[in-house]
Amino acid sequence: MPWSTHQVSNQAPELSGYNLFSTDAALAEGLRRGGGDWHEESLARFGAELGTPEVLRLGELANRHPPELATHDRFGNRIDRVEFHPAWHALLALLRREGLHALPWMAPRPGAHVARAAGYFLHAQVEAGSLCPTTMTFAAIPVLQKESALFSRLEGLFYSTEHDERDLPLEQKRSILVGMGMTEKQGGSDVRSNTTAARPLDGGGRGGAYALTGHKWFFSAPMCDAHLVLARTDAGLSCFFVPRWRPDGDKNAVLVQRLKDKLGNRSNSSAEVEFQEAFGIMVGEEGRGIPTIIDMAGYTRLDCVIGSAGLMRCALVQAIHHARHRSAFGRLLAEQALMRNVLADLALESEAATLLMLRLARAFDAGDDPVERAWRRIMTPAAKFWICKRAIEFTGECMEVWGGNGYVETGPMARLYREAPVNSIWEGSGNVMCLDVLRAIGRAPGDFLLLLEGLERMGQGHPMLRSLTARLRDSLAQSPEQLEAGARRLVQRLVLAAQAAVMLEQAPPALAQVFADSRGDGECGRVYGALAGAGAQKEILDRAWPA
């Protein structure tokens, strides 16, 4: 219809119909370097599918129509069922089909974790909420594999590539998802203060049946077919597998009190629940619930890193696309010197996050080599601290590139910005991550020193990298109180050293040099767009998002 008042012009077109994988040079190169090239054809197909208007629309719909809780059916029976928009189930079907819930366990081979990380990273750019139950299921499998009697019943359901949305007992399902329930009102991250109690039903012990009474303040994805839960026995906190349905076919006594009204991650349900003698099976040794759950933490934290890196990539592509189509003051935004500086800086940050998350995934493919062990135990919480925190500022800056158009919910930027903080909080907030880094270093200082030596070799003796690693070595001489007080500074230096190392080893030399120079000039934590000079900006942007 012709407008009588004005002509609509100078609006960036919708970004769709592109291949998320083939347009990402850093991801494709990192996949090959990490031994996941056998999965490249599948990722190219998946990347093309994710970029279609139809799949991008699924992400929008799943967040525009959040889940709804029905505590009772029309007859008054307690059902505690969460209803989802069909888009949610379509997204979970995509994730399941690609094996992102279990790929390294279903088909173990070199590069399996790297291949899965690349697929997870692609899906994160379309919709993040559906990744939550996928991650928890992925992390639960290696824990439950140690319980042979239980896992033998569940293995086929875990490894199925079909999404089964039906609310039925485990024996009637074609596939299952597993959630987590750890935190309580009084404790949050301090799970040692949990009060939920478990009473043995058949003598107790590992593999035994228990009745759980208590509550969980954050019960992630309550419609999962089972949850791993911490509860207290006479021996201390223990871990339990709590199915949604009891073995006798009745609904388990896990009562959903309400769903959380969250800032972001709105497509995914998080609940407050109470256990009223709920049935559960002990997993792991009695009184060793926290060590059992910690086995999962490495995988869930890795996914936080991958997911945040994916959000950054999505926000970056949207920002560059907008800047190449929107004019202001007589020129395209992308042609203006200050905007190019901002976009180039963002592109460097995104590539460094991508390469670091792939290198981290590669460590999960490796054996018990001390350096790879240090990557898993020290670098995982460090990367979660830094990349998840950077994603918050990063998505805000990309929103600002869009201006007022980015601040409204009809476009993609507001959802990306609201989504960004969750990974910095979930699975341990920033302080918890930094303290975990200190604990890991304290347990294996020799591994930490080997890690630093490895970073120096990767960076081929770059002065910025040598300076950071020297300061990190010096920090080991500090008292425990000094180390804790300065933990964020130490972790920041460690991740910057790791990012500089992977960039110097893997990125084009001009890009790596700009990254190392800019992150080593004492301006860390500065606003984006403070690169010194205009060197390599065209190369940086053309690599980040081919024109």
Side-chain angles (χ1 to χ4, degrees):
M1 182 181 71
W3 293 96
S4 59
T5 60
H6 66 286
Q7 181 180 5
V8 177
S9 62
N10 195 26
Q11 295 291 312
E14 194 84 19
L15 177 57
S16 66
Y18 69 103
N19 189 315
L20 278 67
F21 178 79
S22 64
T23 54
D24 192 339
L27 181 67
E29 293 166 8
L31 174 77
R32 298 174 200 130
R33 191 175 292 105
D37 49 319
W38 51 268
H39 202 51
E40 188 166 354
E41 186 176 333
S42 294
L43 289 168
R45 172 192 47 75
F46 190 40
E49 184 178 9
L50 291 174
T52 61
E54 295 79 13
V55 174
L56 293 171
R57 177 71 171 157
L58 292 176
E60 180 185 341
L61 288 171
N63 284 272
R64 197 167 291 280
H65 302 281
E68 298 180 354
L69 171 64
T71 55
H72 297 78
D73 66 14
R74 66 189 183 92
F75 304 107
N77 299 307
R78 187 91 196 204
I79 57 173
D80 298 283
R81 184 174 298 151
V82 181
E83 302 289 347
F84 293 87
H85 190 274
W88 167 262
H89 292 296
L91 290 163
L92 282 177
L94 282 176
L95 285 159
R96 197 90 195 194
R97 186 198 70 194
E98 297 299 315
L100 298 179
H101 66 294
L103 183 62
W105 322 127
M106 293 162 56
R109 61 185 293 183
H113 278 283
V114 173
R116 178 197 174 259
Y120 191 102
F121 175 85
L122 293 175
H123 189 97
Q125 297 173 51
V126 173
E127 207 287 309
S130 49
L131 294 173
C132 178
T134 304
T135 285
M136 292 185 294
T137 303
F138 172 67
I141 290 174
V143 172
L144 293 173
Q145 282 175 332
K146 298 173 184 176
E147 309 300 319
S148 56
L150 177 60
F151 193 75
S152 63
R153 294 166 39 209
L154 303 175
E155 183 174 7
L157 300 176
F158 272 124
Y159 293 164
S160 169
T161 55
E162 176 185 3
H163 170 58
D164 187 353
E165 65 185 78
R166 298 174 303 159
D167 184 20
L168 295 171
L170 294 174
E171 293 73 19
Q172 301 176 40
K173 296 283 300 235
R174 294 190 291 268
S175 66
I176 59 171
L177 292 169
V178 173
M180 294 171 63
M182 305 298 160
T183 60
E184 297 181 3
K185 293 183 179 75
Q186 70 282 352
S189 296
D190 181 12
V191 295
R192 287 179 173 82
S193 67
N194 283 9
T195 61
T196 296
R199 176 177 60 84
L201 297 176
D202 57 3
R206 188 168 189 166
Y210 284 75
L212 277 65
T213 301
H215 83 284
K216 295 298 170 186
W217 188 231
F218 276 91
F219 197 69
S220 295
M223 284 307 293
C224 284
D225 301 285
H227 285 75
L228 290 179
V229 169
L230 285 177
R232 193 171 293 281
T233 66
D234 290 342
L237 280 177
S238 303
C239 181
F240 296 89
F241 177 85
V242 179
R244 182 164 165 78
W245 295 83
R246 296 170 53 88
D248 60 11
D250 289 341
K251 182 190 170 299
N252 207 358
V254 180
L255 308 185
V256 181
Q257 303 303 305
R258 62 176 177 174
L259 299 185
K260 297 290 191 182
D261 186 8
K262 297 175 293 185
L263 167 69
N265 205 244
R266 298 187 69 83
S267 67
N268 177 45
S269 59
S270 303
E272 300 167 19
V273 302
E274 291 185 359
F275 305 125
Q276 295 185 0
E277 294 274 287
F279 173 83
I281 299 171
M282 183 177 287
V283 173
E285 298 178 23
E286 184 173 6
R288 299 281 295 167
I290 293 177
T292 300
I293 291 301
I294 284 175
D295 284 348
M296 297 177 64
Y299 298 110
T300 54
R301 290 171 178 178
L302 171 64
D303 277 6
C304 287
V305 174
I306 303 169
S308 290
L311 284 177
M312 292 165 74
R313 171 66 186 175
C314 181
L316 172 71
V317 167
Q318 290 285 354
I320 297 176
H321 172 78
H322 180 86
R324 285 177 177 164
H325 290 86
R326 177 80 167 178
S327 295
F329 310 111
R331 286 185 298 165
L332 289 172
L333 292 175
E335 295 173 351
Q336 300 184 28
L338 184 53
M339 181 58 78
R340 283 201 310 270
N341 196 313
V342 171
L343 294 173
D345 204 359
L346 291 166
L348 289 173
E349 187 81 15
S350 176
E351 176 153 352
T354 300
L355 294 182
L356 182 60
M357 70 92 177
L358 290 172
R359 178 60 184 87
L360 197 55
R362 199 166 91 203
F364 283 80
D365 279 318
D368 206 35
D369 173 83
V371 174
E372 300 301 328
R373 185 171 62 229
W375 271 91
R376 292 192 299 271
R377 296 180 179 175
I378 298 173
M379 197 62 75
T380 299
K384 182 191 177 303
F385 165 77
W386 183 251
I387 292 179
C388 296
K389 210 167 273 299
R390 292 294 275 174
I392 302 170
E393 181 185 3
F394 189 101
T395 52
E397 193 71 63
C398 290
M399 179 192 292
E400 192 170 323
V401 172
W402 277 50
N405 287 335
Y407 198 68
V408 295
E409 294 287 352
T410 49
M413 306 306 284
R415 173 155 62 96
L416 294 173
Y417 185 64
R418 285 188 285 103
E419 193 67 44
V422 68
N423 283 334
S424 201
I425 298 170
W426 189 48
E427 288 303 284
S429 59
N431 282 358
V432 172
M433 292 301 97
C434 291
L435 293 173
D436 277 0
V437 171
L438 293 185
R439 277 190 287 270
I441 292 172
R443 291 190 189 106
D447 288 0
F448 178 60
L449 294 175
L450 289 174
L451 173 64
L452 298 183
E453 290 174 11
L455 295 180
E456 289 172 347
R457 285 193 299 273
M458 290 168 64
Q460 302 170 23
H462 191 281
M464 171 268 195
L465 192 52
R466 285 205 311 268
S467 173
L468 284 177
T469 54
R471 290 154 127 193
L472 288 164
R473 287 189 183 90
D474 291 344
S475 67
L476 296 181
Q478 294 178 332
S479 69
E481 292 79 9
Q482 289 174 313
L483 273 173
E484 180 174 337
R488 287 192 172 212
R489 183 182 295 273
L490 182 149
V491 173
Q492 176 177 281
R493 285 175 178 159
L494 176 59
V495 181
L496 285 174
Q499 287 187 316
V502 294
M503 289 288 283
L504 289 163
E505 180 187 55
Q506 302 173 23
L511 277 68
Q513 188 63 50
V514 175
F515 180 86
D517 289 346
S518 61
R519 272 56 179 178
D521 65 1
E523 297 284 338
C524 183
R526 79 227 180 294
V527 295
Y528 289 104
L531 297 177
Q537 287 183 5
K538 185 179 187 305
E539 182 181 352
I540 292 170
L541 293 174
D542 287 347
R543 175 176 169 82
W545 182 240

